[in-house]
Amino acid sequence: MFRKVLIANRGEIAVRILRACREMGIPSVCVFSEVDRTALHIRLADEAYLIGPAASRESYLRIDKLIDVARRSGCDAIHPGYGFLAENPALPRACADAGITFIGPSAETMETMGSKTSGKQLARRADVPTVPGTDDPIENPQDAQSLARTMGYPVLLKAVAGGGGKGMRVVPDDQAFASCWRDASSEALNAFGDARVFLEKYLHAPRHIEIQIFADAHGRVVSLGERECSVQRRHQKVIEEAPSTVVTPELRRKMGEAAVRLARAGAYVNAGTVEFLVDANLSFYFLEVNTRLQVEHPVTEQVTGLDLVKLQIAIAAGHRLPFAWETITPRGHAMEVRLYAEDPDNNFFPCPGKIVARRIATGPGIRLDEGVYRGWTVPIEYDPLLSKLIAWGNSREETIARLRRALDEYTITGIRTNVGLFRRILSEPEFLRGEIHTKWLDQLLARSHPPAVPPRLGTEAASAIAAAYWASIQPTNSSSGSQTSQTTPSRWKQEGRRSQLDRQP
Amino acid sequence: MKFEVHLDSLAGKTRHVVDLEKVGASYKVSLDGEPVDADVILAAPNAVSVLLNGTAFEIHIAPSLDGTYKLQTGPHEFQADIRDPRAWAGRKQGGLEAEGRQQIIAPMPGKIVRLLVNVGDEVEAGQGLVVVEAMKMQNEIRSPKKGKVERLQAQVGQPVNAGDVLCVIS
């Protein structure tokens, strides 16, 4: 096993990896930028080193500094987490040069499997279904139409030079083909000066379902089942769950086998995720491979009982996957929401700041993976992910009830969060029935807001009383109220400004 | 101690007058003039627990940059503007209206810079009466009620002490 592990990340994932190391009895080393001196991963660290200014490219993205810290502190392995350098082949290369183990796949694997085009080619070779379509533009409309017939409608015509939806047509049936072809190619010609189009199978309202795989260095590859991540806002996952409501044991086996074939074809080692689109007929199509630990890995951990980070470390240290995990089946249901410091009422604009107070969610079936604490100021320089709230239950219904209950318990005071978004999603009938797809949330948000939940009788009265009480216990002539954030100006100043503004000419 | 609380939420704006009278370790609470059965404590930093006729509420309070407060209880949010009787400036129009004959006093030492009314004028609640300069800021003292200027004791240029009677509204 490793002597010491360098955690090349920050935030909740740095804390997550640190915890895994500690449970395994491996000392770990954390790194931080100038604004992260007080971050939770540094407060919890065994050892911590400054690696540069706030800007990521001068700190968390500096491979030379990370390797230097690893060397000086005697680390023999680096865990990249997700984001930052996790999918950059330069890091495993630098590690190899320095004689340090990179906890993840090799640089070569990252290159062949991580890129969309080479990943797709590999998938075809491994007999993993990809979205049917042409790799090259089609010149002749008759050829295109007969291809569309064999592919099955609806199909999508896509301009070679396309972008922003221009030169794109969904062809619903054979009759409409000729006119759609004319429209798409003339629009493409007008917009881009290039009339050539591709033909692709059109997936209506597909789901995003991904398979977690693990591969050891001794040739064993296993699938740990699926995660459904169809609830997305502008291609960003918002809620993840396992198992998927539409995946049958048969489909799970087929998707798992496809993912394992792909991993074998790419000589994959360590944790990876194979993403698929699944259409209404439950046909699945390869999308891409994420050659790292995923943000939503806890969902799989909750239904399999495994610790994926510890497993990653063990595999990187050369251990074998023990098992007959080829037949692993999920137990119960797990769901994760990503709480961000962002304002859902203001177009999800990031709004970091000081966490003045906090009440955390605990209790049966609740897990909170996070990198924040009361009194900490969320820095503006990084991704504003605060916490991942994960619920587990025997059924999807119980899991959703637990998650709702936990969201009511979890309160962050001082900054705005997207918690209201989850309250809304978790009460939408379509979501409750599992009728979701990758465009579902964007469509929901485009609709008008539903009437607000009527407050309990007395909510307003209690709020007024609480406000008055709060005012009564504040110091009257001091600006140093202990619980106010530092950015609050003096109350005298505010009062003066208010009076001045109130003044009539 | 009386507070005027303006609550602003998606449901609309409301105004409440809360009177808190400390009795031993707890408070006697009245809301909009009616006594209510409310047990109010600070449960945790920035978290006020209110038991209102036995119904439990926890209200999380954070100051906003504009001097108001953000209140959050369960899924509900309010913006609260709390008018403190100890705050020295006069009240805004539409504020709490006083009853009976009112003496208008200088809230802190300063100098009278302008008179906005004359004896005998009819005034509205919230209407400016006298402008007092203190700490290089001019502050308008407003009428707490609709009525008539019965007496005007302030004179332009006159220094005043906190508590000096400036005028009387009947």
Side-chain angles (χ1 to χ4, degrees), chain A residues 435-505:
Chain A
E435 291 165 11
I436 46 176
H437 53 82
T438 53
K439 297 280 186 295
W440 178 78
L441 181 57
D442 289 328
Q443 289 169 5
L444 179 76
L445 292 175
R447 282 181 234 157
S448 63
H449 267 282
V453 190
R456 284 191 299 161
L457 194 66
T459 298
E460 196 187 295
S463 299
I465 292 166
Y469 170 74
W470 175 259
S472 79
I473 59 171
Q474 296 308 300
T476 46
N477 55 356
S478 127
S479 60
S480 59
S482 57
Q483 304 308 330
T484 57
S485 77
Q486 286 172 337
T487 44
T488 307
S490 143
R491 283 162 64 86
W492 280 109
K493 229 184 222 170
Q494 289 168 20
E495 189 51 39
R497 186 170 298 127
R498 192 165 76 81
S499 324
Q500 292 288 67
L501 289 171
D502 284 351
R503 195 154 54 95
Q504 277 147 9

XYZ file of all heavy atoms in Angstrom, chain A residues 435-505:
551
model
N -40.678 10.110 -15.089
C -40.783 10.480 -16.508
C -39.872 11.663 -16.796
O -40.324 12.811 -16.883
C -42.241 10.818 -16.849
C -43.139 9.597 -16.806
C -44.613 9.955 -16.790
O -44.950 11.133 -17.018
O -45.427 9.051 -16.521
N -38.583 11.362 -16.902
C -37.604 12.434 -17.064
C -36.723 12.143 -18.273
O -36.598 11.005 -18.711
C -36.725 12.580 -15.796
C -36.254 11.196 -15.315
C -37.493 13.292 -14.690
C -35.317 11.236 -14.144
N -36.137 13.195 -18.800
C -35.181 13.065 -19.901
C -34.248 14.258 -19.819
O -34.420 15.133 -18.956
C -35.916 12.980 -21.239
C -36.880 14.100 -21.473
N -36.495 15.330 -21.932
C -38.218 14.186 -21.254
C -37.557 16.109 -22.023
N -38.611 15.451 -21.611
N -33.273 14.301 -20.725
C -32.211 15.295 -20.562
C -32.683 16.737 -20.769
O -32.012 17.664 -20.366
C -31.044 15.012 -21.527
O -31.580 14.913 -22.854
C -30.345 13.716 -21.181
N -33.832 16.920 -21.423
C -34.337 18.285 -21.625
C -35.438 18.635 -20.615
O -35.979 19.731 -20.639
C -34.929 18.423 -23.043
C -33.924 18.214 -24.159
C -33.104 19.474 -24.368
C -32.180 19.338 -25.570
N -31.161 18.310 -25.366
N -35.781 17.678 -19.771
C -36.941 17.831 -18.909
C -36.831 19.058 -17.991
O -37.747 19.872 -17.908
C -37.143 16.560 -18.063
C -38.281 16.662 -17.110
C -39.598 16.534 -17.393
C -38.203 16.948 -15.709
N -40.346 16.721 -16.261
C -39.518 16.975 -15.219
C -37.139 17.193 -14.820
C -39.810 17.233 -13.883
C -37.424 17.446 -13.492
C -38.755 17.454 -13.036
N -35.688 19.205 -17.336
C -35.564 20.299 -16.366
C -35.571 21.659 -17.062
O -36.213 22.595 -16.586
C -34.283 20.133 -15.528
C -34.065 21.196 -14.459
C -35.238 21.273 -13.488
C -32.780 20.940 -13.689
N -34.874 21.764 -18.195
C -34.884 23.034 -18.925
C -36.311 23.414 -19.327
O -36.699 24.578 -19.252
C -33.984 22.953 -20.162
C -32.503 22.925 -19.772
O -32.155 23.541 -18.753
O -31.713 22.283 -20.482
N -37.085 22.402 -19.734
C -38.483 22.671 -20.095
C -39.297 23.082 -18.868
O -40.111 24.000 -18.926
C -39.104 21.436 -20.744
C -38.552 21.171 -22.141
C -38.950 19.806 -22.687
O -39.729 19.080 -22.061
N -38.406 19.456 -23.834
N -39.033 22.413 -17.761
C -39.753 22.748 -16.519
C -39.463 24.191 -16.104
O -40.365 24.947 -15.739
C -39.328 21.790 -15.398
C -39.971 22.034 -14.031
C -41.408 21.535 -14.031
C -39.183 21.361 -12.929
N -38.180 24.574 -16.196
C -37.802 25.913 -15.751
C -38.314 26.989 -16.700
O -38.479 28.138 -16.303
C -36.279 26.004 -15.611
C -35.689 25.156 -14.486
C -34.171 25.215 -14.501
C -36.218 25.597 -13.126
N -38.544 26.603 -17.962
C -39.056 27.577 -18.920
C -40.540 27.856 -18.680
O -41.046 28.900 -19.048
C -38.838 27.065 -20.339
N -41.226 26.876 -18.055
C -42.628 27.109 -17.720
C -42.715 28.132 -16.592
O -41.749 28.365 -15.886
C -43.275 25.809 -17.234
C -43.632 24.846 -18.351
C -44.282 23.616 -17.749
N -43.590 22.412 -18.188
C -43.617 21.255 -17.536
N -44.269 21.156 -16.397
N -42.974 20.209 -17.986
N -43.887 28.680 -16.404
C -44.008 29.676 -15.346
C -43.923 28.979 -13.993
O -44.188 27.793 -13.865
C -45.334 30.407 -15.464
O -46.376 29.484 -15.290
N -43.540 29.756 -13.010
C -43.419 29.205 -11.665
C -44.765 28.701 -11.163
O -45.786 29.325 -11.376
C -42.904 30.278 -10.707
C -41.424 30.242 -10.572
N -40.795 29.312 -9.797
C -40.462 31.006 -11.118
C -39.493 29.512 -9.875
N -39.260 30.533 -10.666
N -44.764 27.583 -10.470
C -46.015 27.108 -9.889
C -46.367 27.994 -8.698
O -45.495 28.678 -8.166
C -45.661 25.703 -9.416
C -44.194 25.771 -9.118
C -43.618 26.793 -10.058
N -47.632 28.015 -8.291
C -47.963 28.792 -7.103
C -47.155 28.281 -5.920
O -46.962 27.067 -5.775
C -49.455 28.538 -6.908
C -49.782 27.341 -7.747
C -48.780 27.294 -8.837
N -46.659 29.211 -5.129
C -45.811 28.815 -4.010
C -46.606 27.938 -3.038
O -47.822 28.037 -2.940
C -45.304 30.056 -3.286
N -45.885 27.062 -2.363
C -46.513 26.215 -1.353
C -47.136 27.134 -0.303
O -46.459 28.025 0.207
C -45.448 25.342 -0.652
C -46.109 24.289 0.212
C -44.507 24.737 -1.668
N -48.426 26.980 -0.009
C -49.000 27.880 0.997
C -48.317 27.651 2.346
O -48.138 26.501 2.756
C -50.479 27.482 1.038
C -50.559 26.148 0.383
C -49.382 26.003 -0.517
N -47.911 28.725 3.005
C -47.228 28.545 4.275
C -48.186 28.047 5.350
O -49.397 28.225 5.249
C -46.706 29.939 4.602
C -47.491 30.868 3.774
C -48.031 30.118 2.613
N -47.633 27.419 6.359
C -48.442 26.988 7.495
C -49.047 28.225 8.152
O -48.447 29.304 8.142
C -47.556 26.298 8.531
C -47.171 24.899 8.143
C -46.527 24.213 9.331
N -45.311 24.901 9.750
C -44.765 24.748 10.960
N -45.323 23.972 11.853
N -43.652 25.377 11.269
N -50.199 28.042 8.734
C -50.838 29.144 9.446
C -49.878 29.653 10.526
O -49.335 28.871 11.300
C -52.131 28.636 10.091
C -53.084 29.726 10.585
C -53.636 30.520 9.407
C -54.212 29.102 11.393
N -49.671 30.947 10.552
C -48.810 31.514 11.574
C -47.386 31.771 11.122
O -46.614 32.375 11.855
N -47.029 31.335 9.916
C -45.651 31.514 9.445
C -45.254 32.989 9.421
O -44.185 33.368 9.882
C -45.495 30.910 8.030
O -45.749 29.512 8.109
C -44.093 31.135 7.488
N -46.177 33.792 8.901
C -45.849 35.205 8.789
C -45.767 35.867 10.166
O -44.839 36.635 10.443
C -46.907 35.880 7.927
C -46.486 37.224 7.443
C -47.632 37.922 6.750
O -48.056 37.406 5.705
O -48.074 38.950 7.251
N -46.723 35.529 11.037
C -46.713 36.095 12.384
C -45.438 35.688 13.109
O -44.764 36.524 13.725
C -47.940 35.616 13.157
N -45.082 34.413 13.013
C -43.878 33.930 13.682
C -42.645 34.625 13.131
O -41.715 34.964 13.878
C -43.758 32.415 13.514
N -42.632 34.877 11.818
C -41.490 35.546 11.202
C -41.369 36.980 11.699
O -40.268 37.465 11.975
C -41.625 35.526 9.679
O -41.654 34.196 9.215
N -42.508 37.656 11.816
C -42.494 39.042 12.301
C -41.990 39.086 13.736
O -41.160 39.932 14.097
C -43.897 39.642 12.207
N -42.456 38.134 14.552
C -42.026 38.095 15.954
C -40.531 37.804 16.026
O -39.783 38.443 16.771
C -42.842 37.039 16.738
C -44.300 37.502 16.849
C -42.242 36.798 18.115
C -45.268 36.411 17.309
N -40.084 36.858 15.211
C -38.663 36.502 15.204
C -37.807 37.691 14.785
O -36.752 37.949 15.367
C -38.427 35.321 14.259
N -38.288 38.436 13.778
C -37.531 39.593 13.301
C -37.406 40.644 14.398
O -36.329 41.191 14.639
C -38.210 40.178 12.067
N -38.521 40.922 15.087
C -38.504 41.923 16.154
C -37.588 41.463 17.292
O -36.785 42.234 17.818
C -39.926 42.147 16.671
N -37.705 40.179 17.620
C -36.862 39.640 18.680
C -35.395 39.754 18.303
O -34.553 40.153 19.101
C -37.232 38.177 18.942
C -36.269 37.473 19.845
C -36.258 37.730 21.215
C -35.353 36.563 19.331
C -35.356 37.094 22.043
C -34.443 35.923 20.152
C -34.442 36.191 21.505
O -33.536 35.572 22.320
N -35.115 39.420 17.059
C -33.734 39.499 16.578
C -33.201 40.931 16.713
O -32.100 41.156 17.196
C -33.664 39.043 15.114
C -32.312 39.195 14.507
C -31.883 40.180 13.679
C -31.190 38.336 14.710
N -30.567 39.987 13.338
C -30.119 38.866 13.970
C -30.980 37.178 15.467
C -28.854 38.281 13.936
C -29.716 36.583 15.424
C -28.679 37.130 14.672
N -34.040 41.904 16.307
C -33.623 43.305 16.400
C -33.386 43.685 17.860
O -32.456 44.425 18.178
C -34.669 44.201 15.766
N -34.214 43.144 18.757
C -34.111 43.550 20.162
C -32.837 43.040 20.816
O -32.367 43.621 21.784
C -35.332 43.039 20.948
O -35.183 41.661 21.260
N -32.281 41.944 20.312
C -31.072 41.415 20.952
C -29.797 41.871 20.257
O -28.704 41.494 20.654
C -31.093 39.864 21.028
C -31.199 39.244 19.638
C -32.232 39.382 21.930
C -31.008 37.728 19.638
N -29.944 42.695 19.206
C -28.743 43.206 18.550
C -28.180 44.355 19.359
O -28.922 45.129 19.950
C -29.062 43.701 17.129
C -29.529 42.616 16.188
C -28.605 41.419 16.153
O -27.437 41.546 15.811
N -29.119 40.259 16.550
N -26.844 44.486 19.404
C -26.266 45.649 20.058
C -26.765 46.916 19.365
O -26.838 46.957 18.139
C -24.758 45.468 19.885
C -24.573 44.329 18.957
C -25.853 43.589 18.835
N -27.127 47.935 20.141
C -27.745 49.110 19.542
C -26.745 50.038 18.887
O -27.050 50.673 17.904
C -28.485 49.934 20.607
O -27.620 50.062 21.732
C -29.787 49.270 20.989
N -25.551 50.150 19.438
C -24.666 51.191 18.929
C -23.324 50.637 18.500
O -22.303 51.243 18.672
C -24.453 52.265 19.989
C -23.937 51.643 21.274
O -23.825 50.413 21.369
N -23.616 52.473 22.248
N -23.355 49.431 17.973
C -22.087 48.887 17.538
C -22.305 48.179 16.225
O -23.356 47.630 15.941
C -21.556 47.932 18.596
O -21.254 46.684 18.022
N -21.268 48.189 15.417
C -21.390 47.531 14.121
C -20.809 46.128 14.203
O -20.726 45.424 13.233
C -20.639 48.335 13.069
O -19.283 48.400 13.442
N -20.372 45.736 15.399
C -19.631 44.483 15.486
C -20.495 43.349 16.004
O -20.047 42.537 16.784
C -18.424 44.672 16.390
O -18.867 45.074 17.672
N -21.741 43.333 15.582
C -22.594 42.199 15.923
C -21.867 40.929 15.527
O -21.433 40.796 14.403
N -21.744 39.992 16.454
C -20.825 38.890 16.226
C -21.264 37.999 15.069
O -20.460 37.347 14.454
C -20.692 38.068 17.498
O -21.969 37.617 17.897
N -22.571 37.980 14.782
C -23.018 37.043 13.752
C -23.239 37.704 12.399
O -23.678 37.068 11.475
C -24.310 36.348 14.187
C -24.217 35.633 15.501
C -23.045 34.687 15.578
O -22.620 34.130 14.575
N -22.486 34.499 16.753
N -22.967 39.000 12.325
C -23.179 39.621 11.028
C -21.948 39.394 10.171
O -20.849 39.223 10.671
C -23.421 41.136 11.158
O -22.305 41.693 11.834
C -24.678 41.422 11.939
N -22.156 39.356 8.869
C -21.022 39.080 8.002
C -20.146 40.320 7.941
O -20.587 41.436 8.171
C -21.504 38.673 6.623
O -21.903 39.805 5.921
N -18.896 40.097 7.595
C -17.927 41.190 7.621
C -18.268 42.282 6.633
O -17.873 43.425 6.812
C -16.547 40.637 7.262
C -15.949 39.834 8.389
C -14.680 39.148 7.954
O -14.462 38.919 6.778
N -13.843 38.834 8.912
N -18.983 41.903 5.606
C -19.243 42.883 4.564
C -20.396 43.814 4.926
O -20.659 44.761 4.222
C -19.588 42.172 3.250
O -20.494 41.117 3.552
C -18.362 41.615 2.587
N -21.091 43.528 6.034
C -22.185 44.395 6.416
C -21.629 45.731 6.888
O -20.797 45.777 7.774
C -22.983 43.771 7.565
O -23.353 42.456 7.177
C -24.215 44.572 7.872
N -22.090 46.824 6.271
C -21.594 48.111 6.723
C -22.160 48.451 8.098
O -23.098 47.816 8.567
C -22.109 49.068 5.652
C -23.264 48.386 5.027
C -23.053 46.920 5.190
N -21.557 49.434 8.741
C -22.014 49.873 10.044
C -23.492 50.229 10.009
O -23.982 50.828 9.063
C -21.195 51.095 10.445
O -22.000 52.016 11.138
N -24.197 49.837 11.060
C -25.624 50.143 11.110
C -25.850 51.652 11.199
O -26.857 52.162 10.722
C -26.263 49.423 12.299
C -26.473 47.938 12.011
C -26.684 47.155 13.273
N -27.901 47.529 13.982
C -29.101 47.012 13.709
N -29.232 46.137 12.756
N -30.155 47.376 14.396
N -24.904 52.345 11.831
C -25.007 53.812 11.872
C -24.947 54.376 10.468
O -25.702 55.258 10.091
C -23.863 54.403 12.698
C -24.119 54.325 14.159
C -23.485 53.517 15.045
C -25.090 55.063 14.903
N -24.000 53.703 16.292
C -24.983 54.647 16.246
C -26.035 56.026 14.559
C -25.796 55.171 17.241
C -26.831 56.552 15.552
C -26.712 56.123 16.879
N -23.996 53.835 9.701
C -23.817 54.305 8.341
C -25.086 54.052 7.524
O -25.559 54.907 6.791
C -22.658 53.535 7.712
C -21.635 54.416 7.027
C -20.613 53.534 6.376
C -19.213 54.078 6.575
N -18.188 53.139 6.175
N -25.628 52.846 7.704
C -26.844 52.492 6.966
C -27.973 53.446 7.316
O -28.712 53.918 6.473
C -27.313 51.082 7.338
C -26.447 49.982 6.810
C -26.815 48.667 7.472
O -27.906 48.523 8.010
N -25.912 47.724 7.439
N -28.085 53.684 8.633
C -29.164 54.540 9.100
C -29.002 55.945 8.525
O -29.949 56.576 8.063
C -29.149 54.576 10.634
C -30.354 55.252 11.244
C -31.668 54.704 10.694
O -31.781 53.477 10.480
O -32.563 55.505 10.459
N -27.735 56.417 8.544
C -27.455 57.742 7.998
C -27.827 57.811 6.532
O -28.509 58.726 6.079
N -27.432 56.757 5.803
C -27.705 56.743 4.371
C -29.212 56.721 4.114
O -29.737 57.427 3.279
C -27.046 55.527 3.738
C -27.148 55.511 2.227
C -26.278 54.435 1.625
N -24.875 54.639 1.912
C -24.082 53.710 2.462
N -24.563 52.542 2.774
N -22.819 53.964 2.687
N -29.896 55.899 4.933
C -31.333 55.777 4.759
C -32.004 57.134 4.989
O -32.856 57.564 4.217
C -31.872 54.736 5.741
C -33.295 54.315 5.471
C -33.649 53.056 6.228
N -33.882 53.293 7.640
C -35.041 53.756 8.124
N -36.026 54.025 7.317
N -35.178 53.955 9.422
N -31.546 57.826 6.051
C -32.166 59.119 6.358
C -31.916 60.108 5.234
O -32.803 60.863 4.842
C -31.592 59.700 7.646
O -31.321 58.702 8.558
N -30.667 60.077 4.737
C -30.343 61.011 3.667
C -31.217 60.743 2.444
O -31.695 61.652 1.788
C -28.867 60.869 3.264
C -27.905 61.330 4.327
C -27.879 62.837 4.486
O -28.862 63.429 4.919
N -26.771 63.466 4.145
N -31.394 59.473 2.157
C -32.182 59.118 0.984
C -33.644 59.482 1.183
O -34.341 59.811 0.246
C -32.045 57.620 0.698
C -30.673 57.205 0.176
C -30.565 55.699 0.136
C -30.421 57.774 -1.212
N -34.081 59.386 2.437
C -35.473 59.674 2.726
C -35.782 61.165 2.640
O -36.912 61.562 2.494
C -35.828 59.217 4.154
C -35.993 57.715 4.208
O -36.002 57.108 3.132
O -36.103 57.182 5.314
N -34.726 61.954 2.799
C -34.911 63.398 2.924
C -35.610 63.976 1.703
O -35.230 63.721 0.565
C -33.549 64.049 3.088
C -33.579 65.463 3.585
C -32.272 65.739 4.297
N -31.154 65.419 3.412
C -30.548 66.326 2.659
N -30.940 67.567 2.655
N -29.535 65.980 1.910
N -36.605 64.766 1.991
C -37.286 65.415 0.874
C -36.563 66.709 0.538
O -35.976 67.328 1.410
C -38.745 65.707 1.261
C -39.629 64.508 1.064
C -40.740 64.429 2.076
O -40.951 65.355 2.840
N -41.429 63.309 2.088
N -36.565 67.126 -0.698
C -35.827 68.327 -1.082
C -36.405 69.582 -0.429
O -37.588 69.631 -0.173
C -35.978 68.389 -2.598
C -37.106 67.496 -2.931
C -37.247 66.507 -1.843
